[in-house]
Each structure stands twice: as C-alpha cells, then as structure tokens.
Amino acid sequence: MSGLLDPFGLLRDAAYGAERLGRSLIGQDRIRLAVTGLTRAGKTVFLTSLLANLLAAGRGRRTLPALEEVAGGRLRVVRPVPAGLEGLPRFDVAAHLAALAADPPAWPARTEDLSTLELELELDRQSVLAGLLGTRTVTLELLDYPGEWLLDLPMLAEDYAQWASATLARMRRGPRAEASAEFLAFIESLPPGAPAEESLVRRGAALYRDSLRACRDRLGFRFLQPGRLLNPGPRGETPLMWFFPLPQDARGGLATLVAERHAAYVETQRREFFEPYFRRFERQAVLVDVLGALHAGKEAFEDTAEALAAIANALRYGGGWLDRLTGVGVSRVGFVATKADHVPARQRDALAALLGHLVAAPQGRATHAGVTTSVHALASIRCTEDDVATLEGRPVAAVRGVLLSNRRSAKVYPGEIPLRPPEPGFWAHGFFEMPEFQPPRLDAAGGAGVPHLGLDTLLAALIGDVL
Amino acid sequence: MSDWQPPRGPRIIPEEEAPAPMPEPPPSAGPKVIIEEDRPAPRLDFQWEQAVVPVAPTRPSVRWSGIGRAIGGLALLGGGLAALDAANFVADQFARGAMQGWATLGVVAGGVALLGSGLWREVRGLATIRAVDRARAAFARGDLAVAKAEALRWAASVQEAAPLQPAIRDARSVEELAALLQPTLATLEARAAAMGRTAAMQSFAMTAISPSPGLDVLVFAWRGVRLVRQVASLHGLRPGLAGTVALLRRTLLDAATVAATDVAVDAAARALLSNRLLEQFAGEAAAGAVAARRMLRLAKVAAEACRILPPG
C-alpha cells in the first residue's frame, strides 16, 4: 500500500525497475545485496571476506569453489568500481585486511557510519553467440552500516504511543527490568503533566541510553530502539535523539516534546537511511550470531528472534501487484549463522537447523512473497580448526584456536548445539561469552583472499543465477 | 552402550591439560574458561595461499540459446542445402559434357573460396577484439606472461608502438609493462579524439543541410560506424562486420546514458525559445550540436573499448 500513498516513490520504483531491466537486457546487470544483521553479527568482517575472496577469485584464485562451479568457469575479472560522485565513505577493505593481518591483529571496530563499495564481475557469455556479443558484467552494490540502526526499521510503522507502550512492555520483562530499573523508576516518579524542562529531558534520555547499553553489553539483547541512541554515528548525539518512552497516560509538555522528537527522528531515519538504502534491493543476506544469542541465555535468544521478525516485517520483499508492476522486489534471501568456526564441523548442521527455527517467521514471510530462501552456517574468516578435547575422561568434538586476548592456544568445547529452540533445562548453564580468537595468518595485501567456511555456498545461492 | 552424554555447556580447555583425565567441574556447573598455558602460540596457518593456487582453467560450458539454435538451424539448412544443390548441379553438368562440368566446378569453387575467405576475415577480425579482452584480463589479474604476449602482439600491429617491443620483452612486472604502454595509448587516444572532432564537424554540417530527420539518423549511423572502425584500426584492430558489431555493443551503454542527457538538453533549448523563427533555427542547431557531441563521445568510448589496458 505504501506505493499508493507515495506516488513519487512508486515512480522512482518504476524507473529503478526499468533501469535494472534495461541493464539486464544489454548484459550489464546491477544487483544490490543488502547485508542485514544485528549489532555484532559480523557484517564488516563478512563484507571484508566477501570482497577479498571475490577479488582473489577474479585473479584466478580458487577461493570460492562453489561460486566458480555455478559460474561454469566464466568469471574473468573482478574489480572494484572506481569511485564516482558518492557522498558516502568507501568501504576500506584494504585497511580492514591490513588490521586483521597485522601483528598483533585487530578485528574491525564497531561500525559507526555508512560506507559503500561496488564490485564489477566480468563474465563470458554462455551463449554460442558469445563471440559476437562480447563479455557481460554484473555489478554488486554493497553497504556497511551500524547494526543498531537496523532496529529503527520497525519504528517506521509505529507512532509514538505504540512504540512507547511496546518498548516499556519489553523493558519491564525478565532481566531487562533489572538493567532498566533506574530509568523505570525515573518515569514512575514523573509528576502527571510534567513540563518540557530541558534538564528533565536530558536526564530521562541519559537514563534510557544507559539502560539500553546495559541490555546490549551485559545481557546480549538486540531489540533496542532507537538505534542511534546506542550508536549515534560520526556526528555524535543530537537533540533529536533525546526522547524516551513514557506511559500511555503521560500528559503535559514533556510528553509532547518526546513524541515530537520521536516523530522527527523516525522521519530523519526514513529519509536518510532507509529510503536510499533499504527501500530497493534484489538480494539479501541476513547475518545472525546464533551462537552468541544461545550463550547469552533464554531471554536474549528470544529477543534476537523477535528483533529479526520485526525487521523482516518492516522490509519489502515484493510479491504485491505494485511490486510486480514496477519490477521491484527481492528474489533471493540467505539466512546465515555467522561464526560457524566456533563449533566443530559435525555441529554446523545443527547450527544451521537452529537458525532455521530462529528465523522461521521472516523466512515464512519471504517465501510467501515468492522469494527463494536458504539457510547457511558460515565463518567469514576461519579462526579455528577441529580438534578433540577430553571432558571427564571422554573425548568430545571441540575447536582449537589462538585467543586474541593473551595469544594462547586453547580448545573450546562450545556445548551441545540443539537442533531446535532449546528446552528450559538447556539454559541451566547460564551466560557464556565466547572468547575472541585471533585471525589466522593472512596476506595483508589480500592477494589470495582469506580462509572462510561456507562463503562460496552462500554466494552461489544468492547470486549464482545471474552469473 | 554407555549412557554418558557430553556436557551441554560450552567450555575452554587448554591444550596441554586435555589428554590427562583430571578433576573437572561437573557439566552442571556451567561453562568456564581455564587458561594455564604460559607460552604465546603462533597464529593458525591454513596454508591458504597454496590451497587456492589457480589450476588449469575449466573450459566454460557453452549453452545453445533459443536464438542461437535458430540461427544455427538456418545456417545449416541454407549452407547444407546449397552445398548439396551445388554438388548435384556440378554432377549434372558433368553428365552433359566434360567442359560444362569443369566450368561449373570452377565457378562453384571460386564462389566457395571467396565466401570462405570473407568468413575467415570476419573470424580473424572478431578474434582481434577478443584479444583486447584477453590482454585486459591478464593485466587485471597480474598475469605477466600473458600480458607480455598480448602487448607484443599489439605492438606488432600498431605502428606507433613498434619501437616498444624490446622494452616490452624486458618488462619485469605488470605495472612496469602498463607504464611502458601508457604514453603510446595516450597518443592513440589523442588521435581518436581528433577523428571524433572531424566526425563531429561532418555530422553537424550534414544535420544542418539534410532535408529530413530520417536521413539525419542514417547519416549519423553511417558516420558513427565508420568512426568506430577508424578508431579500431588506430589500435591495430581490423574488425570485420562481426567485430564492428561487437565493438558497437560495447559502446552501447555509454551511448545510452549520453542519449538521456541529450533529450534534456534538446527539450530545454526548445522551451527557452518561444519565437517561431528562432525556435526553428535553434531546434535544428541544437539537434546538430547534439549529434556532434555524440560523435565526440563515441570516439572516446570506442577508444576505451579498444585499449589493451583496463580503463581506470
């Protein structure tokens, strides 16, 4: 229905669809791959690995065998598209690779701004008329962004009252209530009809931000809004972000001010982030740190599922008559359990099966819209090797890696990965934080790509049909 | 059959402690991290560089598309039936008399030879265009041996580049090779731009004097194709019909983006002038200017399509 409400958006969709169709007809396909993932899901490392391995594959290296197979040996060159007039920073794959290969190595820091990069894949044609028609190209558009911002997407469809009531309900539930106690006490203590006093608003926003941070960093929760309050981006915090949920019955200047700021914030995010980058895309990789959610406890696990479902509900997968008319829509979605090298090979199928249950709602929605979906377990950069550990005198499958913090070799038994959402007894072992491993030895120039697990299978599923 | 189950909770076990059975916290105590090893360990090495070395390239599979099959069928029918017909005719002529037979055979053989040589030239013309692709791919992936071979082939076919051949043979890296070729390519591009200016002047003049817009299009198309072939021969390519079509296809995308701006420029020029006489004059002049600009652009993109170094 959004198209009917926004005729200019519909026109832009039609122009976009026509452009893609025209490009496809002359063998110059252009595909926007939306990499969506909650914070710490590994988007930046995923993009670094994807770019490094695709560029290496373009130099003839066999870094992505499954992709090579679907391309039928026709991939000739892969090159980054030279910078044009973009107003966004470019994704610095060389700097990320250099940091990972350095001694001591460093994983990419938390992403704080948008960055983009386009790759051009040059391929031979499959047709017998290939000699006459020449090569064709597929341009992949990629975007990196702070994962926290993605959680603002479900806010677009809600007004302040709906958002505040849903947010407060979540905050009062389970361990969040304890982490948010100070903020909850603050809003309870506000007098009815509290005025729009600057110090009051600042204090409320600061307490709300602290409770969000505690939920993210201590409890491993992901469904935290607004995202920019947690990760304000390069410009830092602005007064637009100083709002917080108030109970339904709140009246007065303060309630009006926070509702106005909420509306202005949502509009800004819609205009500056979602409309340009998430309104239209053709392929999607949904990255989920399943293991992190599993180890963070029952509530965090359920919170991750809820966040993924909310994001999927807010995205356009196409399938409607307007989408068919304008030629806009998603054709393939891959759900990906990242950091699969943290479990031994025999448990990776269980990890993928568990992800399948976790994303059942978004997957169902995408499938209903006619989108081809698949579920994968992947390690963007493989940091461990399989090993056997002995627990209570019994051998168990484990992984071995070098810890980032103290450079010591350690075996990790990641626990039993359930095939479906775990039963209550599973959570008895409590919170566990998987240690960070050092990346393996890498070539800083990235000439041969980087070791990975399953990246080629994912790419074959996502873009294999256009190669 | 043992009823022992692995503990459900994750845990970290330092390597040296693993083999010996020792008192461990029970699985129900939950995961924990135990690090006792004192010496820092080296980073894992998967020998990735060796694992991904290129192997012999797989031969790309060829797919017969619908149009390809139809064209193939037509060619087989046309060529095969004509050959059978010609053979029967020659046999019939021999039945009438030896002289008629030999004369007919000579005519058929001459015709087939001319047809064959024409096709052979087309294939060779197309192959030279493909050589540009091979050279670019070699430069892009840093394959010095192939890049050098292609550069030598190119230098042998381009007069301006002939003196570079010894230096090309001695080049030690792809970057060095690219730096060697760059000045000559710049010269060729300048000459292509000059050709584009000449073509632009001619199309401007022709558009101004031509009596109908339909003729404009024909003149522009003929001059455009001629320009592309001129620029190609500048770069040592001798494209036949198929080669010219392949070259024109490469310029299509850029030409299409230029066309979109042309429409806007033309509309703006017409909207600004309301006087009928002025409108008539300015409209024709604007059309001529647009045609001229297209020629300049065509020369540039054709030169880019013929470069043996990747653009950018």
Side-chain angles (χ1 to χ4, degrees):
Chain A
M1 287 302 285
S2 60
L4 288 177
L5 299 174
D6 176 14
F8 291 108
L10 183 62
L11 280 177
R12 279 196 296 271
D13 284 351
Y16 179 87
E19 187 216 330
R20 300 280 147 148
L21 179 67
R23 283 182 167 278
S24 169
L25 286 175
I26 58 169
Q28 309 273 351
D29 285 284
R30 200 174 178 84
I31 287 176
R32 182 173 287 179
L33 172 61
V35 180
T36 55
L38 306 174
T39 176
R40 310 309 285 166
K43 288 185 296 300
T44 307
V45 178
F46 172 79
L47 285 174
T48 305
S49 171
L50 185 151
L51 291 165
N53 284 312
L54 266 176
L55 287 168
R59 285 189 285 266
R61 305 286 178 151
R62 302 198 67 242
T63 51
L64 301 165
L67 188 73
E68 209 175 283
E69 197 175 320
V70 292
R74 290 188 306 278
L75 183 64
R76 296 172 58 153
V77 181
V78 179
R79 53 180 163 252
V81 175
L85 302 172
E86 301 89 359
L88 286 181
R90 271 167 80 80
F91 184 81
D92 198 346
V93 62
H96 288 310
L97 274 176
L100 286 163
D103 194 20
W107 290 100
R110 194 180 284 280
T111 305
E112 298 204 328
D113 197 7
L114 298 168
S115 58
T116 61
L117 196 70
E118 292 181 2
L119 274 192
E120 191 173 80
L121 284 66
E122 191 176 315
L123 298 131
D124 282 323
R125 285 177 192 265
Q126 205 175 9
S127 158
V128 282
L129 303 176
L132 197 64
L133 299 170
T135 56
R136 62 190 196 87
T137 60
V138 175
T139 306
L140 262 188
E141 296 176 20
L142 301 160
L143 172 78
D144 192 22
Y145 57 92
E148 289 91 344
W149 296 5
L150 200 63
L151 260 306
D152 288 346
L153 196 53
M155 288 172 76
L156 302 189
E158 296 171 329
D159 62 14
Y160 176 75
Q162 290 168 323
W163 173 76
S165 116
T167 306
L168 283 176
R170 271 198 304 276
M171 288 186 97
R172 289 180 174 131
R173 216 165 53 202
R176 281 187 200 234
E178 185 261 317
S180 317
E182 211 176 337
F183 170 72
L184 291 172
F186 167 78
I187 56 169
E188 293 301 330
S189 68
L190 284 173
E197 170 61 38
E198 175 75 6
S199 60
L200 213 53
V201 183
R202 295 289 296 269
R203 180 162 158 68
L207 286 172
Y208 182 57
R209 185 189 51 218
D210 292 346
S211 69
L212 293 183
R213 278 189 187 156
C215 288
R216 181 188 67 182
D217 301 335
R218 273 203 290 123
L219 304 174
F221 282 90
R222 297 287 177 259
F223 202 163
L224 304 166
Q225 299 168 322
R228 274 188 188 255
L229 198 57
L230 281 168
N231 193 338
R235 274 183 298 178
E237 220 171 83
T238 59
L240 198 67
M241 301 168 201
W242 296 337
F243 67 91
F244 45 88
L246 284 174
Q248 291 282 26
D249 55 357
R251 298 282 179 275
L254 181 68
T256 312
L257 180 64
V258 291
E260 280 173 4
R261 280 189 178 156
H262 168 271
Y265 174 85
V266 168
E267 186 47 38
T268 307
Q269 283 292 76
R270 182 201 305 277
R271 195 178 57 243
E272 293 181 359
F273 183 44
F274 297 116
E275 275 292 321
Y277 306 113
F278 283 98
R279 184 181 166 88
R280 293 171 280 263
F281 55 90
E282 289 79 30
R283 312 289 152 117
Q284 186 188 18
V286 183
L287 309 189
V288 188
D289 181 7
V290 181
L291 215 54
L294 193 69
H295 289 154
K298 181 170 182 286
E299 287 80 10
F301 187 78
E302 286 168 359
D303 174 83
T304 301
E306 198 181 343
L308 290 168
I311 292 166
N313 277 335
L315 285 174
R316 286 174 76 201
Y317 282 112
W321 65 271
L322 271 178
D323 302 313
R324 290 182 203 282
L325 199 67
T326 53
V328 172
V330 184
S331 47
R332 291 185 177 215
V333 177
F335 295 95
V336 186
T338 53
K339 306 176 188 174
D341 59 334
H342 291 188
V343 301
R346 57 194 288 265
Q347 293 223 53
R348 283 178 205 136
D349 286 344
L351 195 67
L354 182 62
L355 174 67
H357 283 280
L358 196 68
V359 298
Q363 193 175 13
R365 190 169 173 272
T367 310
H368 183 69
V371 178
T372 307
T373 62
S374 52
V375 179
H376 307 260
L378 166 152
S380 303
I381 297 181
R382 183 183 178 187
C383 305
T384 67
E385 54 193 7
D386 282 14
D387 210 326
V388 176
T390 309
L391 283 181
E392 296 169 356
R394 310 280 179 151
V396 288
V399 291
R400 190 179 74 85
V402 180
L403 300 183
L404 188 69
S405 54
N406 55 15
R407 304 174 67 182
R408 289 175 187 178
S409 176
K411 288 179 185 173
V412 173
Y413 170 64
E416 190 187 339
I417 308 296
L419 284 160
R420 52 181 65 82
E423 292 158 12
F426 177 86
W427 307 106
H429 63 71
F431 189 87
F432 174 76
E433 193 174 0
M434 181 63 81
E436 274 193 299
F437 290 107
Q438 275 197 351
R441 197 183 61 74
L442 299 172
D443 169 18
V450 296
H452 63 87
L453 287 175
L455 180 66
D456 53 339
T457 318
L458 172 72
L459 284 177
L462 283 178
I463 60 168
D465 60 318
V466 287
L467 298 184
Chain B
M1 192 68 191
S2 163
D3 59 354
W4 186 86
Q5 292 292 318
R8 293 181 131 177
R11 63 183 49 186
I12 295 175
I13 308 105
E15 271 196 290
E16 264 134 42
E17 158 190 327
M22 58 175 61
E24 272 280 332
S28 56
K32 65 179 195 177
V33 177
I34 311 158
I35 296 165
E36 290 178 349
E37 210 175 73
D38 287 333
R39 283 171 292 113
R43 290 167 77 164
L44 289 186
D45 189 350
F46 295 114
Q47 302 289 318
W48 183 251
E49 286 83 359
Q50 284 74 45
V52 299
V53 286
V55 291
T58 50
R59 198 179 170 78
S61 59
V62 174
R63 184 168 54 87
W64 281 80
S65 63
I67 294 178
R69 281 167 201 263
I71 292 175
L74 279 178
L76 188 63
L77 279 175
L81 292 181
L84 285 172
D85 222 11
N88 285 336
F89 184 53
V90 171
D92 286 350
Q93 290 291 82
F94 270 111
R96 284 182 193 165
M99 208 173 83
Q100 286 99 321
W102 283 112
T104 314
L105 187 63
V107 168
V108 169
V112 168
L114 281 174
L115 196 64
S117 75
L119 284 175
W120 177 241
R121 282 190 63 154
E122 283 297 316
V123 170
R124 283 194 57 184
L126 198 57
T128 59
I129 309 288
R130 304 281 287 177
V132 172
D133 294 337
R134 273 201 307 278
R136 283 187 189 198
F139 275 104
R141 66 172 184 269
D143 186 342
L144 181 63
V146 177
K148 208 184 259 192
E150 291 298 333
L152 280 171
R153 185 201 51 72
W154 172 79
S157 63
V158 176
Q159 199 183 354
E160 287 83 348
L164 292 176
Q165 290 183 55
I168 292 173
R169 273 188 209 99
D170 294 342
R172 304 224 170 148
S173 71
V174 170
E175 291 73 26
E176 193 184 322
L177 195 55
L180 271 174
L181 305 183
Q182 207 68 52
T184 311
L185 284 170
T187 312
L188 295 182
E189 263 152 41
R191 288 186 57 193
M195 285 175 173
R197 283 194 292 277
T198 309
M201 286 291 287
Q202 288 171 353
S203 24
F204 182 82
M206 282 190 270
T207 311
I209 59 167
S210 87
S212 87
L215 194 63
D216 288 2
V217 173
L218 281 179
V219 166
F220 180 81
W222 167 76
R223 193 62 190 87
V225 171
R226 191 158 164 247
L227 176 63
V228 169
R229 290 175 66 104
Q230 282 177 321
V231 172
S233 70
L234 196 65
H235 281 262
L237 311 175
R238 279 159 196 85
L241 179 67
T244 309
V245 169
L247 265 180
L248 281 172
R249 194 205 66 86
R250 286 160 196 234
T251 63
L252 184 66
L253 182 69
D254 283 312
T257 50
V258 174
T261 40
D262 290 346
V263 172
V265 169
D266 197 33
R270 282 169 197 274
L272 280 173
L273 299 158
S274 55
N275 180 293
R276 293 215 165 177
L277 190 63
L278 268 180
E279 189 185 38
Q280 180 66 25
F281 175 76
E284 296 309 318
V290 165
R293 203 150 48 83
R294 277 185 191 157
M295 281 297 172
L296 294 176
R297 179 74 190 146
L298 196 61
K300 188 166 164 47
V301 292
E304 275 171 16
C306 299
R307 271 173 68 96
I308 63 161
L309 280 186

